[in-house]
Amino acid sequence: MGIQVKLEAFDGPLDLLLHLIEKNKVDIFDIPIVLITEQYLEYVSEMDTKDMDIMSEFLVMAATLVKIKSKMLLPREEAEEEEEDDPRQELVERLLEYKMYKYASFELKDRQIDAGKVFYKSPTLPDEVKNFKEEVDYDELLSDVTLTKLQSIFDSVMQKQVDKIDPIRSNFGEIEKDEINIEDHMIFLEEYAMLHGTFSFRNLLKRGKGKGYIIVTFLGVLELMKTGVFTIEQDDLFDDIQITYRKTKSQQKQEEES
């Protein structure tokens, strides 16, 4: 009597390969292709299925493994070994992608099982209970109310309103927005430079107020320096910056003609 062998069911060739890698406890990035190919072919030869679509998938992978195995067994020169890629690289990438989706499906299945353990109870509260409103006897409620008690309640409510006020933020004022037109400011910088020739960046900043003025002035100086209108010098770190105005060629030509 022959020995009965029970074959495990696999979802596809990649699932079988992943099983063989985990079974042999080998590194997926360094697959022993000869060993895995032999075990894979042994499994395929014992498959008992009449579904040609399923069988063809396993046979295509078998051909791929044999091709990789032949490439790795063929001798190669040292120069070729340095330049040629590992024949197993594409297969490893496919296995890693399949493994990622496989374990993601396990996670989704666990969540589905946990969700199946959650029960929802539809509301069964009678309409009489939901619509019940307790009647209030205002005469009885206000029977012992005096002006003194009302004053005390009023003071308590007003005190709660005072307690809600933030002692710090309540003293903040409104922030005024600096309205500075950068095009007009560029014209101002050029006119100021033409008038002074060489001037201090710090003194230039003192001619205005607010962060907006400082930022626009700084950007304007950078732009004019980029176009060659301004040159800047600084003797030491953190010293004041000296800005020098350079006349453009058109201005020099106009002066010569005049």
Side-chain angles (χ1 to χ4, degrees), residues 13 40 54-66 94:
Y40 182 90
I54 297 176
M55 195 63 186
S56 61
E57 293 179 4
F58 283 89
L59 292 176
V60 169
M61 180 57 70
T64 303
L65 290 172
V66 172
R94 291 176 61 187

Side-chain angles (χ1 to χ4, degrees), residues 2-240:
I3 300 175
Q4 292 184 352
V5 180
K6 182 180 179 181
L7 298 178
E8 298 184 39
F10 297 98
D11 294 333
L14 289 175
D15 195 34
L16 172 58
L17 279 178
L18 195 61
H19 167 74
L20 294 175
I21 290 171
E22 293 174 352
K23 177 183 176 182
N24 291 279
K25 298 180 180 179
V26 295
D27 186 2
I28 195 172
F29 293 99
D30 188 18
I31 301 173
I33 200 68
V34 176
L35 173 65
I36 297 299
T37 302
E38 292 176 354
Q39 294 182 1
Y40 182 90
L41 293 175
E42 182 181 353
Y43 173 84
V44 172
S45 64
E46 295 177 355
M47 286 182 63
D48 183 17
T49 177
K50 296 181 180 179
D51 191 336
M52 293 306 298
D53 290 335
I54 297 176
M55 195 63 186
S56 61
E57 293 179 4
F58 283 89
L59 292 176
V60 169
M61 180 57 70
T64 303
L65 290 172
V66 172
K67 182 179 179 182
I68 296 173
K69 177 182 175 182
S70 62
K71 282 187 177 181
M72 297 189 68
L73 292 177
L74 288 175
R76 291 175 294 180
E77 297 180 1
E78 294 183 359
E80 292 180 353
E81 291 180 359
E82 294 178 358
E83 297 176 1
E84 191 173 352
D85 295 333
D86 191 336
R88 302 169 296 179
Q89 182 177 353
E90 183 179 353
L91 178 62
V92 170
E93 292 176 355
R94 291 176 61 187
L95 283 169
L96 289 173
E97 184 179 10
Y98 175 78
K99 186 176 181 180
M100 178 183 67
Y101 285 112
K102 181 178 180 180
Y103 283 100
S105 67
F106 290 160
E107 179 67 23
L108 293 174
K109 184 177 181 180
D110 291 340
R111 294 190 180 187
Q112 182 182 12
I113 293 173
D114 293 339
K117 299 176 182 178
V118 177
F119 296 94
Y120 171 75
K121 177 181 178 299
S122 57
T124 56
L125 196 65
D127 294 337
E128 294 80 4
V129 177
K130 287 194 300 182
N131 300 328
F132 174 76
K133 292 183 181 179
E134 186 178 0
E135 296 183 0
V136 180
D137 188 350
Y138 293 103
D139 293 334
E140 182 181 356
L141 183 64
L142 302 174
S143 60
D144 58 345
V145 174
T146 61
L147 289 176
T148 305
K149 287 186 176 181
L150 288 175
Q151 182 65 40
S152 176
I153 295 172
F154 176 78
D155 294 339
S156 175
V157 172
M158 296 304 297
Q159 184 61 43
K160 289 180 180 179
Q161 296 298 323
V162 173
D163 294 339
K164 290 181 180 179
I165 299 175
D166 191 323
I168 298 177
R169 293 184 176 84
S170 60
N171 295 324
F172 288 170
E174 293 183 358
I175 300 176
E176 296 183 0
K177 184 178 180 181
D178 297 330
E179 297 291 345
I180 301 177
N181 187 296
I182 190 167
E183 295 180 357
D184 295 340
H185 198 65
M186 293 287 288
I187 297 173
F188 160 74
L189 289 175
E190 287 200 59
E191 292 177 350
Y192 183 87
M194 292 173 61
L195 182 63
H196 293 81
T198 299
F199 54 94
S200 165
F201 182 63
R202 184 173 300 168
N203 291 336
L204 178 62
L205 294 179
K206 290 180 179 178
R207 296 186 60 85
K209 295 181 180 180
K211 291 183 180 179
Y213 175 82
I214 296 174
I215 293 171
V216 174
T217 301
F218 181 72
L219 294 175
V221 170
L222 288 178
E223 182 64 26
L224 291 171
M225 183 181 69
K226 180 180 177 182
T227 56
V229 178
F230 284 178
T231 58
I232 63 172
E233 294 180 358
Q234 187 180 35
D235 295 334
D236 295 312
L237 188 63
F238 303 119
D239 281 357
D240 194 7

